[in-house]
């Protein structure tokens, strides 16, 4: 199935539903959803590259830690992710990221992706996940 | 979980009887009208989930401003036994020691009349706010470690306040047990440029006035006089606290599995209080608590300077004195009476305020006869309340009360509602001048997005958890 995402209403925070063919595509889609929030849908052009490596207990933990990494890169280092090649390793995640360095595009902060109501399901047509962001 | 059962106890209390894996019952402070709203989201289920945690004592408690959070509900209070209990980063939240401080002044409404537009601009320019906001304070790595250990006391040593301020900050503005060496480099990198900045979201700096006094003796002791100008500052530990929470959640997930703690929600991950994992988090949390105390102290200094300059008077002449500074996202060791005996328990307050009653040794000497000041901000268009802690809170809620109005609308719904309305103009017509770094933040924070804080306060007052002292009305609000 094609990748996609939508916001789900949540009183205090913001919940995202994300779907894609496989886990790496889902992670990239989730990152795009987060960047849409942080920049209010700004158009971003990739001009820089980064590599990342992080450990994760399982796929759900991997999603939360990846989204937090993406937010740190944006809010802490001014690297706004546009695209990524990701590989789920035995211990976590490895990836090469491409992004914009235009930190002026940031319009809001998100504190963190959370483990609350976290779900990630591998089905016959792809992967689907739900994650709540603490804003 | 199957559908929760509720039992109304009286006008202000609802019990969630023990069911499923709950170790204790839940206790929600709310009237029936509020309960109908509360039941629309998952926050009652979250109260029940917290009751599953090992070593929880008494009840899993929620205040009337409760709403759906992550892990713990916002507005949740839970105390844990020293031997069998756990420490849960999700029970503290991402914004560790998010809190509120109130300053009073000798200025009167007539002093600011007709000048609110320029006054709001002066405050806006003095207090850094918005996404990734940073102040002019530049800290070296070792200075940051001093902040993490020293809290507001560090700020006062740097000339950002007075010793008098420290007497009226919860914990004296310095939380013991900080372990800066256990805080990750990333958390320190996130925090270092941000000391002395408001941030975004629901944080604010608000100039207002005392609109009504309910308890003249307590108001006089707190330095609050009718029509006097006040300043409220709401902020927390910025990126440093968020990162410490992130780091801790990851290690606590492993700890929960190691110690066999069954979790109805992974965000509730926890470790036994005596475990090395919990002790490490406690030391990290203490660092974030101290960062937040120093942060609010630095912003107080900036605001005092700006107001002195604006009015052409000295800070002494303005008498912009700190009334109190409360934490509302925290876990602490406290002594409480449980089943007739004094016990040392670890109280988690997530979106709840300490409200110690008269005579408690941790209440500053100048307020001890009256109870601890409890600061309850409302939305930016209506009012906020100053309360005082009571013996009732000591008996029923581990010395806790509500922390604010509580959201009624999601951010998405609030933004949608605000999109067709001239929000700044509407607020100005109510007499409130708003300055903000981002219009989107103001849209998410419109008054309609919040419950009426007067209803929340009426429940805690009716239930005897706190008594009403004064009502504050906003005049100029700075948002991130």
């Amino acid at each position: 199935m094609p990748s996609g995402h939508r916001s789900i209403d949540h009183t205090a925070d913001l919940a995202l539903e994300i779907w894609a063919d496989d886990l790496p595509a889902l992670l990239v889609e989730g990152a795009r959803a987060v960047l849409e929030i942080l920049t209010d849908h700004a158009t971003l052009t990739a001009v820089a590259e980064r590599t990342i490596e992080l450990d994760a207990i399982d796929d759900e933990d991997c999603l939360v830690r990846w989204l937090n990494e993406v937010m740190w890169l944006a809010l802490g280092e001014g690297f706004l992710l546009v695209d990524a090649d990701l590989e789920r390793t035995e211990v976590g995640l490895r990836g090469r990221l491409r992004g914009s360095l235009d930190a002026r595009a940031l319009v809001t902060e998100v504190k963190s992706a959370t483990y609350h109501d976290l779900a990630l399901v591998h089905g016959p047509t792809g992967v689907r996940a739900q994650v709540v962001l603490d804003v | 979980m199957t559908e929760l059962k509720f039992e109304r106890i009286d006008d202000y209390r609802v019990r969630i009887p023990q069911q499923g894996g709950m170790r204790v019952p839940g206790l929600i402070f709310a009237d029936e009208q509020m309960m109908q709203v509360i039941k629309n989201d998952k926050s009652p289920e979250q109260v029940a989930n917290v009751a599953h945690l090992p070593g929880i004592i008494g009840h899993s408690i929620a205040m009337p401003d409760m709403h759906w959070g992550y892990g713990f509900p916002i507005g949740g209070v839970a105390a844990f036994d020293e031997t069998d209990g756990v420490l849960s980063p999700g029970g503290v939240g991402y914004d560790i020691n998010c809190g509120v401080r109130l300053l009073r002044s000798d200025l009167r409404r007539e002093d600011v009349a007709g000048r609110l537009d320029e006054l709001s601009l002066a405050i806006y320019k003095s207090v850094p706010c918005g996404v990734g906001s940073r102040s002019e304070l530049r800290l070296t790595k070792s200075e940051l470690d001093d902040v993490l250990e020293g809290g507001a006391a560090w700020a006062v040593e740097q000339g950002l306040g007075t010793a008098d301020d420290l007497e009226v900050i919860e914990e004296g503005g310095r939380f013991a047990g900080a372990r800066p060496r256990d805080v990750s480099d990333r958390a320190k990198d996130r925090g270092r440029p941000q000391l002395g900045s408001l941030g975004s979201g629901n944080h604010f700096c608000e100039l207002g006035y005392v609109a009504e006094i309910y308890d003249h003796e307590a108001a006089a002791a707190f330095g609050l006089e009718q029509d006097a100008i006040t300043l409220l500052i709401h902020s927390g530990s910025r990126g440093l606290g968020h990162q410490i929470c992130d780091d801790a959640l990851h290690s606590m997930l492993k700890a929960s599995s190691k110690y066999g703690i069954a979790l109805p929600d992974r965000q509730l991950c926890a470790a036994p209080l005596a475990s090395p994992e919990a002790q490490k988090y406690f030391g990290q949390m203490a660092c974030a608590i101290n960062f937040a105390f120093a942060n609010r102290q630095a912003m107080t200094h900036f605001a005092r300077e700006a107001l002195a300059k604006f009015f052409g008077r000295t800070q002494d002449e303005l008498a912009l004195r700190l009334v109190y500074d409360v934490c509302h996202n925290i876990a602490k060791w406290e002594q409480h009476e449980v089943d007739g005996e004094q016990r040392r328990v670890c109280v988690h307050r997530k979106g709840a305020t300490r409200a110690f009653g008269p005579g408690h040794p941790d209440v500053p000497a100048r307020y001890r006869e009256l109870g601890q000041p409890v600061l309850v901000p409302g939305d930016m268009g209506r009012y906020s309340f100053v309360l005082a802690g009571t013996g009732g809170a000591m008996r029923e809620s581990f010395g806790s009360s509500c922390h604010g109005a509580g959201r009624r609308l999601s951010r998405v719904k609030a933004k949608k509602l605000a999109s067709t309305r001239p929000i700044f103009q509407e607020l100005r017509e109510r007499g409130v001048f708003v300055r903000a770094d981002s219009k989107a933040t103001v849209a998410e924070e419109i008054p309609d997005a919040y419950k009426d804080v007067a209803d929340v306060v009426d429940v805690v007052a009716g239930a005897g958890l706190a008594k009403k002292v004064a009502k504050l009305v906003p005049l100029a609000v700075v948002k991130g």
Side-chain angles (χ1 to χ4, degrees):
Chain A
M1 62 179 154
S3 300
H5 65 266
R6 69 181 182 101
S7 299
I8 311 168
D9 235 11
H10 186 288
T11 318
D13 304 299
L14 200 64
L16 292 173
E17 191 181 358
I18 316 159
W19 56 91
D21 280 337
D22 54 25
L23 185 66
L26 180 117
L27 296 176
V28 172
E29 185 64 26
R32 287 189 182 132
V34 164
L35 262 301
E36 276 182 16
I37 296 164
L38 295 180
T39 67
D40 197 14
H41 299 79
T43 306
L44 302 170
T45 309
V47 296
E49 279 199 356
R50 293 286 178 97
T51 55
I52 59 124
E53 209 155 339
L54 48 91
D55 65 323
I57 299 166
D58 52 29
D59 286 351
E60 291 182 346
D61 186 41
C62 186
L63 173 62
V64 168
R65 288 179 66 76
W66 157 249
L67 294 181
N68 286 334
E69 189 72 20
V70 168
M71 283 185 246
W72 156 250
L73 287 171
L75 295 164
E77 304 202 339
F79 177 89
L80 284 58
L81 187 126
V82 174
D83 202 1
D85 296 319
L86 300 174
E87 182 194 352
R88 179 78 164 94
T89 63
E90 258 181 49
V91 294
L93 188 72
R94 190 162 47 210
R96 182 181 293 275
L97 324 181
R98 292 171 291 283
S100 156
L101 296 176
D102 185 9
R104 289 169 308 175
L106 295 167
V107 296
T108 192
E109 285 179 339
V110 174
K111 290 186 192 122
S112 191
T114 77
Y115 294 91
H116 171 59
D117 260 357
L118 178 63
L120 191 149
V121 184
H122 292 269
T125 58
V127 195
R128 192 169 277 273
Q130 179 183 300
V131 61
V132 176
L133 306 179
D134 179 17
V135 293
Chain B
M1 184 180 274
T2 52
E3 198 166 327
L4 277 180
K5 295 186 187 79
F6 298 95
E7 293 171 1
R8 178 153 286 284
I9 301 169
D10 59 22
D11 287 348
Y12 306 113
R13 293 167 182 81
V14 172
R15 183 189 295 113
I16 303 179
Q18 242 174 293
Q19 48 207 284
M22 291 170 69
R23 294 167 192 259
V24 294
L27 175 62
I28 298 174
F29 290 92
D31 63 27
E32 194 47 39
Q33 207 176 347
M34 282 174 180
M35 234 11 242
Q36 295 312 317
V37 177
I38 288 167
K39 282 181 188 170
N40 287 336
D41 70 25
K42 288 191 182 177
S43 54
E45 194 181 301
Q46 292 185 313
V47 174
N49 285 346
V50 171
H52 285 68
L53 290 173
I56 186 167
I57 298 169
H59 294 88
S60 167
I61 298 165
M63 292 295 152
D65 48 337
M66 74 184 283
H67 57 87
W68 189 8
Y70 34 88
F72 273 57
I74 311 295
V77 177
F80 293 88
D81 179 74
E82 188 174 11
T83 313
D84 305 327
V86 292
L87 182 61
S88 171
V92 175
Y94 285 92
D95 197 0
I96 299 167
N97 189 10
C98 186
V100 188
R101 60 169 48 193
L102 170 67
L103 292 99
R104 51 81 63 205
S105 78
D106 279 352
L107 289 165
R108 291 290 179 275
R109 281 180 80 186
E110 55 265 29
D111 295 314
V112 303
R115 306 182 71 187
L116 287 171
D117 200 13
E118 39 177 339
L119 185 51
S120 62
L121 183 63
I123 300 171
Y124 177 71
K125 283 182 171 171
S126 71
V127 179
C129 58
V131 177
S133 49
R134 42 185 72 194
S135 78
E136 286 176 7
L137 296 172
R138 290 285 171 264
L139 300 175
T140 63
K141 286 187 177 179
S142 82
E143 282 171 335
L144 179 66
D145 284 356
D146 293 342
V147 172
L148 302 187
E149 283 194 276
W154 174 88
V156 167
E157 280 166 24
Q158 307 305 308
L160 304 173
T162 66
D164 197 48
D165 292 338
L166 299 179
E167 281 181 31
V168 284
I169 303 176
E170 197 169 321
E171 299 293 324
R174 182 182 183 276
F175 195 78
R179 298 208 295 206
R181 65 183 177 282
D182 285 344
V183 174
S184 70
D185 287 343
R186 178 170 293 186
K188 289 179 179 176
D189 286 346
R190 286 180 73 169
R192 205 144 53 89
Q194 294 185 328
L195 187 70
S197 67
L198 200 60
S200 63
N202 62 359
H203 296 152
F204 63 79
C205 180
E206 177 180 301
L207 190 96
Y209 70 96
V210 180
E212 198 171 349
I213 290 177
Y214 307 100
D215 183 321
H216 288 273
E217 189 190 3
F222 295 173
L224 300 173
E225 293 155 20
Q226 184 74 37
D227 289 332
I229 295 297
T230 56
L231 192 74
L232 275 169
I233 297 175
H234 175 218
S235 187
S237 50
R238 309 285 284 113
L240 180 123
H242 310 163
Q243 189 62 47
I244 285 175
C245 182
D246 265 344
D247 294 343
L249 284 170
H250 186 63
S251 64
M252 287 288 195
L253 275 174
K254 292 179 190 164
S256 299
S257 150
K258 174 178 160 187
Y259 296 109
I261 300 170
L263 299 172
D265 178 348
R266 291 180 94 177
Q267 190 74 19
L268 291 175
C269 59
L273 280 158
S275 68
E277 290 88 347
Q279 293 193 358
K280 185 175 177 186
Y281 171 64
F282 201 87
Q284 295 168 325
M285 176 189 69
C287 290
I289 290 170
N290 287 331
F291 184 91
F293 280 142
N295 190 34
R296 293 196 287 273
Q297 186 66 40
M299 284 187 282
T300 300
H301 175 73
F302 300 150
R304 279 173 169 158
E305 279 191 330
L307 290 170
K309 190 176 166 196
F310 184 85
F311 289 103
R313 299 192 216 169
T314 65
Q315 292 189 27
D316 281 348
E317 283 170 344
L318 293 180
L320 203 60
R321 286 196 294 270
L322 186 58
V323 175
Y324 203 63
D325 178 311
V326 290
C327 320
H328 54 227
N329 280 0
I330 202 161
K332 308 167 77 161
W333 287 109
E334 292 173 359
Q335 291 285 338
H336 287 279
E337 190 176 311
V338 180
D339 299 331
E341 60 171 310
Q342 281 293 321
R343 279 166 66 180
R344 185 171 180 258
V345 299
C346 183
V347 183
H348 292 55
R349 296 190 181 95
K350 183 175 175 192
T353 301
R354 196 183 76 174
F356 281 178
H360 196 287
D362 290 343
V363 178
R366 69 184 81 163
Y367 307 141
R368 198 162 296 151
E369 297 301 308
L370 300 151
Q372 179 212 304
V374 176
L375 310 175
V376 188
D379 61 77
M380 60 181 157
R382 282 180 274 193
Y383 30 65
S384 299
F385 286 89
V386 181
L387 315 178
T390 61
M394 302 311 294
R395 287 187 293 275
E396 269 200 280
S397 59
F398 298 99
S400 311
S401 185
C402 59
H403 87 307
R407 282 195 85 89
R408 191 174 69 85
L409 298 181
S410 71
R411 290 171 197 275
V412 175
K413 279 190 180 141
K415 260 170 123 170
K416 201 173 282 177
L417 188 65
S419 65
T420 55
R421 286 170 36 187
I423 299 303
F424 287 85
Q425 193 186 319
E426 278 181 19
L427 286 163
R428 198 166 284 208
E429 282 162 11
R430 289 192 195 189
V432 187
F433 287 71
V434 178
R435 298 273 178 180
D437 196 57
S438 153
K439 282 184 185 165
T441 302
V442 176
E444 288 174 4
E445 295 288 314
I446 51 169
D448 319 54
Y450 285 90
K451 298 177 197 171
D452 185 343
V453 70
D455 295 340
V456 171
V457 163
D458 282 346
V459 169
V460 294
L465 302 183
K467 62 177 181 175
K468 281 161 78 168
V469 175
K471 180 162 84 174
L472 313 176
V473 166
L475 293 168
V477 182
V478 169
K479 298 284 296 178

